[in-house]
Amino acid sequence: MASIFFRKNKHIIQQIVRRQGYLPTLNEAIQYILIIQHGPVPQKEKVIIKENTLRKSYKSLPIKKKRKEQQITNLESIFLMESTHPKEEKPIEKIRDTSYQNEMIKEQVSLNVKKSEKITEEFLEKSLKEDNLVHILDHAYPEEHKELTELKRIKRLRKKAFLKVLKVINPYNIEDTPEAFRKFFLSRYEMLKKILVKKMSGGFEDNNTDLIVLVREVIDYNNYGIIIGEYLTDDDEITNGLFLVSFNHDEGVLKEKFNHIIPDVVIGLRVKKTSRGKFIVNDIIFPDVPRLGRRGRASEDTYVLFLSDIHLGSKKFIKEMFLRFLDFVNGAVNDKELKEYAEKLDYIIILGDIVDGVGVYPDQKNELEIPNIYDQYLKISEYLEQIPEDIDIIIIPGNHDAAGNFIPQPPIPVKIAEPLYNLKNVKILSNPAMIEIENVKMLLYHGYGLEKIASMLHMGIEKPTRIINELLRYRHLIPTWGSIPLAPLSEDHLVIYEVPDIIAMGHLHIFDARVAKGNILTIVPGSFQDITSRQKRLSIVPTPGVF
């Protein structure tokens, strides 16, 4: 008998489950039915309805709230929804004062909640499959809320595959000794040697010798080039070598490869040793990524948004644009498609330079709106607090953040960015970091040094993903020592040993995206900072607000 009653009034039961978080008893369900069909129990006070409107800017958004602006949290939803036997509804007066709302609800409906009856996601999923609770959200909310809440329910049930942090660099101490530098470059050499040996094995002629070389210098003459580098002998002895590259016999193929060599990369050389002990290069092999790679796929749709270079604290920070971004993630947009994207959003990844920092470049103080680094992190935390808590925010530092001047950068210290660490949905990682979301591996790097690599290769910076292609060729994020401050650690964390599915970088403030070699998706978001004096000197034309 009870099961028949529950099925006949399934949408009422759905509302109770949604609001109370447990499956009601028969008596509790009957009380709700009576309220709907005959109105609430007469009270001395007025029935109070909480108005729920989606906020239009960060100023009006509540602090530390999930996406509750469009949820009905009181009896309004029961009074407004259709019942199985609709009656003529009595008009309900809405008043602003909601101070006695909870007390009124308790007087109208008294429900004794048992802990054992609390509903779990597993129970909810099982109930749906068994058709005991036909779509939890059907008729549970007024029509204008139905689409939004349905998206939220899908996300809540499927968000089982959580973020996996595959690699993060913890705080370290730098040893300024010859041995530290030797270990650093030897680590790089050994990791890239493993990759190159696989690529070169079985592909050489009997009269050729394969060598793995750490390049130290490259000299380009008209008809030939010289590579000076180090390699390990069969006895594991480090030996210096000079390698001649002729540009005349292979229609420019070797010349093209030679032009991509920069100092401190590790490459494979297929050489022939002359009677005088010199090496003639017949081929140049880069570690590179496989050209026909298969990108990892999520088992179900997962929405990730990449941001970079907010630069809060700068006078050039575009506040209005960032507020529009906050409106978007809160669903406060008129575009239906954008609203759906916002509701499906699972992760926001910020690729560094969340604040402008202090003393990063000469005369920066003249361009700072907030000159104190602690205040900068406090302010950005107040902005990020407006992002719904069910969206996870992953942050890595950039060269403007207070995470040290050397690359790799450990996570931003808690004592400096404590307000960020206090946000429950924020996770701060190192730069670089490797993560996995739904079986999709993502390499996150701020991008500091991209402009240096472009300069060495005589490339422009208007298409940053082209520079990332070169880094994939070297399987290293910033190979050349001295281009930017690198920390000589016992392991070179900048080697791209494991091929990711997605590489995301920022730094240049120029949006670009493409599927690169190896079927790797490369993403470079824009910024939220207008053009600065330094960018003008570097001829950088930013694309703010594009992500």
Side-chain angles (χ1 to χ4, degrees):
M1 184 70 180
S3 62
I4 296 174
F5 174 85
F6 273 66
R7 285 184 175 276
K8 192 172 182 180
N9 299 279
K10 61 185 180 184
H11 59 289
I12 308 294
I13 308 304
Q14 293 163 5
Q15 170 60 22
I16 301 175
V17 170
R18 170 62 58 191
R19 180 179 176 274
Q20 301 292 347
Y22 67 95
L23 197 63
T25 65
L26 182 61
N27 289 335
E28 293 168 349
I30 291 174
Q31 289 184 54
Y32 270 93
I33 298 295
L34 291 175
I35 290 175
I36 293 169
Q37 293 182 355
H38 303 289
V41 178
Q43 302 290 336
K44 295 181 181 180
E45 298 89 354
K46 296 179 181 179
V47 174
I48 296 162
I49 304 303
K50 179 181 178 181
E51 297 198 22
N52 295 282
T53 57
L54 195 60
R55 314 307 174 112
K56 295 300 180 181
S57 72
Y58 89 103
K59 293 181 180 178
S60 58
L61 280 169
I63 294 178
K64 293 186 179 179
K65 290 288 185 181
K66 293 185 179 180
R67 260 173 283 188
K68 292 183 179 179
E69 286 76 15
Q70 291 187 330
Q71 292 184 5
I72 307 297
T73 57
N74 51 38
L75 291 179
E76 178 184 6
S77 55
I78 298 179
F79 297 142
L80 295 180
M81 72 181 190
E82 291 182 346
S83 69
T84 310
H85 305 288
K87 298 287 182 178
E88 183 179 353
E89 295 187 8
K90 300 177 182 180
I92 301 175
E93 183 179 359
K94 294 187 178 183
I95 58 177
R96 293 184 178 180
D97 183 17
T98 60
S99 58
Y100 300 100
Q101 180 179 10
N102 293 334
E103 182 180 348
M104 290 295 301
I105 292 174
K106 289 180 182 178
E107 290 180 3
Q108 291 171 354
V109 181
S110 176
L111 299 177
N112 297 319
V113 180
K114 298 180 181 179
K115 291 184 179 180
S116 60
E117 292 176 329
K118 285 291 182 181
I119 196 163
T120 63
E121 290 186 1
E122 291 78 7
F123 172 80
L124 195 58
E125 204 163 8
K126 181 180 178 183
S127 299
L128 286 170
K129 289 180 181 178
E130 295 175 353
D131 199 31
N132 291 336
L133 295 171
V134 182
H135 207 295
I136 292 295
L137 293 166
D138 285 350
H139 312 296
Y141 293 91
E143 190 61 28
E144 61 268 24
H145 299 302
K146 179 179 179 182
E147 182 179 1
L148 180 66
T149 50
E150 183 172 358
L151 289 170
K152 294 173 76 169
R153 177 241 168 213
I154 291 173
K155 184 170 74 172
R156 183 160 55 251
L157 286 181
R158 70 176 172 80
K159 197 172 179 180
K160 296 286 186 181
F162 50 86
L163 165 75
K164 294 180 182 178
V165 178
L166 303 181
K167 184 171 184 178
V168 64
I169 295 98
N170 295 317
Y172 54 80
N173 294 318
I174 296 177
E175 294 182 20
D176 188 13
T177 63
E179 181 63 16
F181 283 91
R182 191 190 73 84
K183 288 181 179 179
F184 175 72
F185 283 107
L186 187 60
S187 166
R188 177 188 303 187
Y189 183 90
E190 292 291 351
M191 283 190 281
L192 293 176
K193 179 182 176 181
K194 293 177 183 178
I195 298 171
L196 284 163
V197 166
K198 288 182 180 179
K199 294 191 68 172
M200 300 173 71
S201 60
F204 54 87
E205 301 175 3
D206 292 338
N207 60 345
N208 282 342
T209 302
D210 285 356
L211 296 176
I212 311 299
V213 177
L214 174 62
V215 177
R216 290 305 189 186
E217 189 176 356
V218 184
I219 305 173
D220 189 356
Y221 294 99
N222 291 330
N223 298 320
Y224 66 93
I226 296 177
I227 300 172
I228 302 173
E230 302 170 352
Y231 63 95
L232 286 180
T233 64
D234 294 337
D235 299 327
D236 287 337
E237 293 290 333
I238 299 177
T239 305
N240 295 319
L242 188 147
F243 307 91
L244 301 176
V245 185
S246 175
F247 302 147
N248 295 325
H249 67 283
D250 60 356
E251 299 180 353
V253 176
L254 267 184
K255 172 66 173 175
E256 177 65 22
K257 291 183 176 180
F258 181 86
N259 289 340
H260 288 278
I261 301 176
I262 59 177
D264 301 322
V265 298
V266 178
I267 59 175
L269 295 180
R270 195 153 285 157
V271 300
K272 182 178 179 180
K273 194 171 185 178
T274 67
S275 57
R276 297 183 179 181
K278 295 181 180 180
F279 292 104
I280 305 298
V281 177
N282 291 323
D283 198 6
I284 300 170
I285 298 95
F286 291 94
D288 220 332
V289 294
R291 284 200 167 273
L292 298 176
R294 183 175 181 180
R295 192 162 70 240
R297 302 286 180 179
S299 57
E300 58 183 10
D301 290 344
T302 304
Y303 288 75
V304 180
L305 187 152
F306 293 88
L307 292 182
S308 188
D309 298 276
I310 299 171
H311 286 275
L312 190 139
S314 168
K315 292 179 179 178
K316 299 292 185 176
F317 167 62
I318 309 176
K319 177 180 176 181
E320 296 75 13
M321 191 172 287
F322 197 72
L323 293 182
R324 288 202 296 271
F325 161 74
L326 293 176
D327 285 343
F328 161 67
V329 296
N330 281 283
V333 289
N334 295 325
D335 187 281
K336 180 180 178 181
E337 187 176 6
L338 287 178
K339 185 175 291 189
E340 288 180 356
Y341 279 135
E343 285 304 317
K344 293 176 182 177
L345 195 56
D346 292 299
Y347 299 93
I348 294 175
I349 298 177
I350 306 178
L351 300 165
D353 284 0
I354 57 175
V355 299
D356 203 49
V358 177
V360 180
Y361 58 89
D363 298 325
Q364 184 194 19
K365 62 181 180 180
N366 298 326
E367 297 185 348
L368 286 177
E369 186 73 31
I370 304 176
N372 183 286
I373 189 66
Y374 294 93
D375 293 340
Q376 289 180 12
Y377 281 110
L378 175 61
K379 189 64 178 179
I380 190 62
S381 69
E382 292 173 357
Y383 277 99
L384 296 183
E385 199 171 24
Q386 312 311 317
I387 295 175
E389 284 187 353
D390 58 347
I391 299 176
D392 292 325
I393 305 172
I394 302 161
I395 299 174
I396 67 170
N399 58 300
H400 279 252
D401 287 299
N405 296 325
F406 290 89
I407 302 297
Q409 292 174 293
I412 305 168
V414 177
K415 63 181 181 181
I416 296 177
E418 185 176 1
L420 282 178
Y421 283 92
N422 290 336
L423 300 180
K424 295 180 180 179
N425 57 334
V426 168
K427 191 173 189 64
I428 301 179
L429 305 178
S430 60
N431 173 41
M434 178 81 87
I435 64 173
E436 180 180 299
I437 299 175
E438 279 281 345
N439 301 316
V440 177
K441 292 182 175 64
M442 304 180 189
L443 175 58
L444 313 178
Y445 177 59
H446 173 62
Y448 185 30
L450 284 176
E451 68 278 23
K452 304 291 186 180
I453 300 297
S455 176
M456 283 184 275
L457 293 170
H458 307 289
M459 298 173 60
I461 59 174
E462 64 277 358
K463 295 290 183 182
T465 56
R466 291 182 58 225
I467 311 172
I468 296 177
N469 256 347
E470 296 301 316
L471 302 183
L472 290 173
R473 185 194 303 273
Y474 309 135
R475 296 289 286 269
H476 199 283
L477 293 174
I478 299 295
T480 302
W481 181 267
S483 57
I484 62 172
L486 299 177
L489 305 180
S490 58
E491 178 185 347
D492 187 352
H493 295 286
L494 304 182
V495 172
I496 309 174
Y497 188 76
E498 185 176 6
V499 179
D501 303 304
I502 296 174
I503 295 181
M505 299 187 189
H507 184 61
L508 291 181
H509 297 207
I510 301 171
F511 173 81
D512 193 20
R514 75 177 66 202
V515 177
K517 63 178 77 174
N519 203 27
I520 298 172
L521 177 61
T522 55
I523 301 171
V524 181
S527 67
F528 287 91
Q529 185 184 36
D530 207 345
I531 188 168
T532 64
S533 59
R534 182 173 179 272
Q535 290 171 342
K536 289 178 181 178
R537 291 195 298 270
L538 296 174
S539 300
I540 294 176
V541 181
T543 55
V546 184
F547 51 88

